[in-house]
């Protein structure tokens, strides 16, 4: 395990505000305003639009040198006023940046002054989130924003209004819209439609259908009424076990709602755990549909075993996604020789090693976290994997080492369809396993062609690793 305590070269993480944007995009009728320079919002719009292939509007207070010296109060007020005038959102998330945090702007006070000066009533919800870019990562920004959303909507900490007998489901890490839709299908089928509250829900907001209508704010997301009703729920599940899900902790400590944290349902074991927990909470049997999907996944594992067994892979990305992909790789007999979490996470290394010991105790694996791509590239060169599994930022070392890259996670900016990649559940595990297996088969075809065309220079698989272009 390694911890970054040196100059960062090409970080594996993105800044906190981009995580807060992804969280706010998962609630209905909301916009984000970044209190900072114009370049911050431009960078994030570009990054998110390239990944999701959707227009992403983010407001900015456009702080300049003057604001840095005299404070950004006037800029923030003007930004809020313009955002309301042009988009009229019911919810505005105000996320700070390096500059705003460095000069020490009191965001809550400025928002209070703005409300009083402009006569903004309680129907317009403005949520400040402290997300300086010089610390932590996009993952922590996501967690902070979700916590702030829950706290704001459940602000009345008085006795619960009406016990709704619902299940709260709170994500602690960004997943794709397709994964979100699959999660909703699973919960609909086991817990029951309208019997749970999923937060955040980007199934429509980051993957909207083409209807011919122009929406300044895309419809969809968790409703405000549902978020406010979370304090009346019977139980809470936090999806993600490597970090502290602050919203889950808040609901339990403030409203005595029992909770449990479960892994993202990636692969056989982790999906089994989630479905078993849902069955236990709801008292319902796991539907036959998912029993059949589980059987198809096991059949796919048998079909693929002779191709994937022993394949040396390096997995990298956001902690909970990496942990799930590690589990899937181990279940299928692969050899994950390098496992890298982009950011520091309280329980990532512990959970990763525990999973390795459960499935393949003799597996020699290097686990790193909170490293930059300079360190990551050196680790890849040392480990010599036959395949990379992670986001697009690994393409440079993949090309240098002439090994395939299976794109997974965030960001994927050099291929289309990232918003439709399904990883969760039995169905997602089957799709991922098919991608991995078919990449191996394609590599072997390429190697066979190389052997036929240049028999003298051909080096067999296993001595040099895979020889192929990216997948």
């Amino acid at each position: 395990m390694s911890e970054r305590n040196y100059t960062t070269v090409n970080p594996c993480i993105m800044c906190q505000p981009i995580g807060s944007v992804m969280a706010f995009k998962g609630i209905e009728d909301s916009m984000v305003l970044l209190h900072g320079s114009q370049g911050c919002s431009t960078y994030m719009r570009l990054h998110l639009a390239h990944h999701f292939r959707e227009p992403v509007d983010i407001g900015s207070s456009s702080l300049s040198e003057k604001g840095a010296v005299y404070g950004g109060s006037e800029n923030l007020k003007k930004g809020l006023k313009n955002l309301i005038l042009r988009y009229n959102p019911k919810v505005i998330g105000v996320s700070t940046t390096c500059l705003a945090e460095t000069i020490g702007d009191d965001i809550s006070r400025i928002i209070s002054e703005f409300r009083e000066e402009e006569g903004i009533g309680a129907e317009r919800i403005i949520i400040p989130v402290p997300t300086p870019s010089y610390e932590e990562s996009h993952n922590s920004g996501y967690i902070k924003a979700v916590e702030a959303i829950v706290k704001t909507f459940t602000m009345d900490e008085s006795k619960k209004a009406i016990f709704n007998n619902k299940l709260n489901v709170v994500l602690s890490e960004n997943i794709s819209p397709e994964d979100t839709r699959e999660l909703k299908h699973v919960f609909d089928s086991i817990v029951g439609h309208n019997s749970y509250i999923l937060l955040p829900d980007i199934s429509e907001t980051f993957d909207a259908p083409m209807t011919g209508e122009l929406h300044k704010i895309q419809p969809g997301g968790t409703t405000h009424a549902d978020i406010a009703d979370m304090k009346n729920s019977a139980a809470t599940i936090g999806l993600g076990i490597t970090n502290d899900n602050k919203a889950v902790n808040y609901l339990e400590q403030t409203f005595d709602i029992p909770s449990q944290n479960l892994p993202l349902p990636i692969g056989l074991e982790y999906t089994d755990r989630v479905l078993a927990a849902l069955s236990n909470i709801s008292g319902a049997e796991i539907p036959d549909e998912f029993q059949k999907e589980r059987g198809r996944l096991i059949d796919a594992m048998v079909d693929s075993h002779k191709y994937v067994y022993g394949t040396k892979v390096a997995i990298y990305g956001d902690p909970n996604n990496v942990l799930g992909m590690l589990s899937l790789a181990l279940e299928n007999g692969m050899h994950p020789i390098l496992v890298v979490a982009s950011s520091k996470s309280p329980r990532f290394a512990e959970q990763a090693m525990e999973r390795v010991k459960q499935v393949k105790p003799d597996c020699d694996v290097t686990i790193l976290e909170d490293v930059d791509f300079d360190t990551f590239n050196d680790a890849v060169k040392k480990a010599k994997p036959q395949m990379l599994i992670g986001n697009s930022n690994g393409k440079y070392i993949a090309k240098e080492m002439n090994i395939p890259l299976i794109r997974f996670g965030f960001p994927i900016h050099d291929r289309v369809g990232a918003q439709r990649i399904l990883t969760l559940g039995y169905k997602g595990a089957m799709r991922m396993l098919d991608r991995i297996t078919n990449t191996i088969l394609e590599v072997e075809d390429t190697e066979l062609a190389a052997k036929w065309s240049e028999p003298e220079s051909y080096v067999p698989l296993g001595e040099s690793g895979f020889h192929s272009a990216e997948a």
Side-chain angles (χ1 to χ4, degrees), residues 67-86:
V69 175
Y70 297 105
S73 175
E74 291 305 310
N75 288 68
L76 180 53
K77 291 174 183 178
K78 287 179 182 178
L80 287 168
K81 189 173 181 178
N82 287 334
L83 196 70
I84 292 171
L85 181 65
R86 294 174 182 241

Side-chain angles (χ1 to χ4, degrees), residues 32-70:
V32 175
L33 186 145
L34 296 183
H35 186 34
S37 68
Q38 182 66 47
C40 293
S41 62
T42 301
Y43 153 73
M44 290 172 207
R45 286 200 305 267
L46 180 69
H47 229 69
L48 291 169
H50 280 185
H51 178 83
F52 292 105
R53 307 291 168 170
E54 294 283 340
V56 180
D57 289 351
I58 303 171
S60 173
S61 62
S62 299
L63 277 178
S64 61
E65 293 87 347
K66 181 180 177 181
V69 175
Y70 297 105

Side-chain angles (χ1 to χ4, degrees), residues 275 285-296 426:
L275 265 60
E285 294 290 328
I286 297 175
D288 188 54
E289 170 192 0
F290 299 116
Q291 300 284 8
K292 289 181 178 178
E293 281 185 7
R294 187 180 191 278
R296 292 189 189 102
Y426 300 127

Side-chain angles (χ1 to χ4, degrees), residues 303-368:
D303 294 341
S304 301
H305 187 72
K306 64 181 178 181
Y307 304 112
V308 303
Y309 181 80
T311 301
K312 297 177 182 178
V313 296
I315 306 168
Y316 63 96
D318 295 340
N320 284 295
N321 278 278
V322 169
L323 180 64
M325 193 54 60
L326 167 66
S327 181
L328 184 147
L330 289 166
E331 291 167 349
N332 286 278
M334 288 181 270
H335 186 174
I337 56 176
L338 180 62
V339 180
V340 181
S342 58
S343 60
K344 183 70 176 175
S345 187
R347 288 173 295 279
F348 171 75
E350 173 191 344
Q351 293 287 345
M353 187 53 66
E354 179 182 328
R355 191 69 184 122
V356 170
K357 290 179 179 178
Q358 287 173 347
V359 183
K360 201 172 183 180
D362 60 340
C363 180
D364 183 17
V365 55
T366 299
I367 299 174
L368 304 176

